[in-house]
Amino acid sequence: GAVVSQHPSWVICKSGTSVKIECRSLDFQATTMFWYRQFPKQSLMLMATSNEGSKATYEQGVEKDKFLINHASLTLSTLTVTSAHPEDSSFYICSARDNNLGGRGNEQFFGPGTRLTVL
Amino acid sequence: AQKVTQAQTEISVVEKEDVTLDCVYETRDTTYYLFWYKQPPSGELVFLIRRNSFDEQNEISGRYSWNFQKSTSSFNFTITASQVVDSAVYFCALSDTRPNTGFQKLVFGTGTRLLVSP
């Protein structure tokens, strides 16, 4: 149980295009999902907290108009990188928190990541 | 502010050696959780352990063991008899918690790259 998927696993796009990344909780419901970015050989940095049915909470320094987050259902959050540029090339990882407050309820389960390369 | 420090950037060992990865954290919260994750070359984070701030008992799971010491704000991770498959980047992370809302967010250390050679 507690599986999180991401799609696509990798994407290459031209500068100026927009890219959408999906994060799905496959066997549990997640009111809260998190989006992280990881540059090569660096740590994971939280970009934003995605809340189902409400606006995402962005970390300081993250442009909300550039990284659009939509959390329309309890199993799906999407991150859209708008007008992507080479500096947006990174590894994007999502995680989801199980709504079940018992047992594993407070853990974050991570997706496999999406590698974005902007040419 | 919360902070996690992994001072060892990279460690190289030969198979069967024991290795300890250090993690030092800073937080003003009295209730918090500490984690270790493994990130192999594929990139996917593999959960290893979660420990809450009230449980200072050391834990052993196979070749893995963890030493949590609140007095020194450390949560070190030891791999006994290392194997080539242990080669990966290991992240220590800290999370606070708010009543009735679960975790707020995870703060990751910069990671330690472990290279185990045959």
Side-chain angles (χ1 to χ4, degrees):
Chain A
V3 178
V4 176
S5 70
Q6 280 185 243
H7 178 80
S9 54
W10 60 270
V11 57
I12 301 174
C13 69
K14 293 183 178 179
S15 185
T17 60
S18 293
V19 175
K20 179 185 285 187
I21 303 170
E22 294 184 349
C23 176
R24 294 182 184 271
S25 56
L26 298 185
D27 54 357
F28 63 97
Q29 293 185 329
T31 300
T32 303
M33 292 184 174
F34 302 87
W35 287 97
Y36 296 84
R37 179 168 54 185
Q38 185 182 28
F39 292 109
K41 297 191 176 184
Q42 294 190 25
S43 187
L44 283 78
M45 299 300 294
L46 180 66
M47 298 175 66
T49 302
S50 170
N51 301 296
E52 187 267 338
S54 64
K55 292 182 179 180
T57 304
Y58 289 82
E59 295 299 301
Q60 193 172 9
V62 178
E63 301 175 57
K64 62 179 66 176
D65 293 332
K66 179 163 186 66
F67 298 99
L68 301 179
I69 292 173
N70 186 296
H71 193 155
S73 79
L74 289 173
T75 59
L76 173 64
S77 175
T78 61
L79 168 69
T80 300
V81 183
T82 62
S83 186
H85 291 284
E87 57 265 31
D88 298 321
S89 298
S90 186
F91 192 53
Y92 292 86
I93 306 174
C94 75
S95 69
R97 191 176 79 84
D98 192 335
N99 281 3
N100 178 11
L101 296 181
R104 66 186 191 194
N106 288 333
E107 295 182 34
Q108 289 184 33
F109 301 97
F110 285 85
T114 297
R115 194 164 300 281
L116 170 64
T117 302
V118 184
L119 302 177
Chain B
Q2 295 183 317
K3 184 179 178 181
V4 176
T5 301
Q6 293 180 257
Q8 303 150 308
T9 305
E10 185 169 307
I11 301 175
S12 294
V13 299
V14 177
E15 216 172 12
K16 297 184 183 178
E17 286 185 18
D18 299 346
V19 59
T20 295
L21 310 180
D22 298 333
C23 173
V24 175
Y25 63 92
E26 296 176 29
T27 180
R28 293 180 180 176
D29 295 320
T30 55
T31 301
Y32 52 89
Y33 287 82
L34 293 161
F35 301 79
W36 275 96
Y37 289 92
K38 174 183 180 180
Q39 188 177 43
S42 61
E44 183 167 359
L45 281 177
V46 178
F47 168 82
L48 296 178
I49 190 172
R50 176 184 70 166
R51 175 54 51 86
N52 74 56
S53 51
F54 297 108
D55 182 4
E56 286 193 73
Q57 283 191 339
N58 292 333
E59 181 158 338
I60 299 175
S61 176
R63 296 185 296 107
Y64 296 168
S65 62
W66 291 268
N67 184 343
F68 176 30
Q69 294 201 355
K70 287 180 75 172
S71 60
T72 56
S73 297
S74 65
F75 186 43
N76 297 337
F77 171 34
T78 297
I79 301 175
T80 304
S82 59
Q83 299 176 2
V84 173
V85 294
D86 295 327
S87 297
V89 180
Y90 291 86
F91 289 98
C92 180
L94 168 69
S95 177
D96 64 10
T97 188
R98 296 291 183 262
N100 302 321
T101 60
F103 294 154
Q104 283 289 304
K105 63 180 183 181
L106 287 175
V107 175
F108 284 83
T110 50
T112 297
R113 183 175 301 275
L114 175 64
L115 300 173
V116 183
S117 55

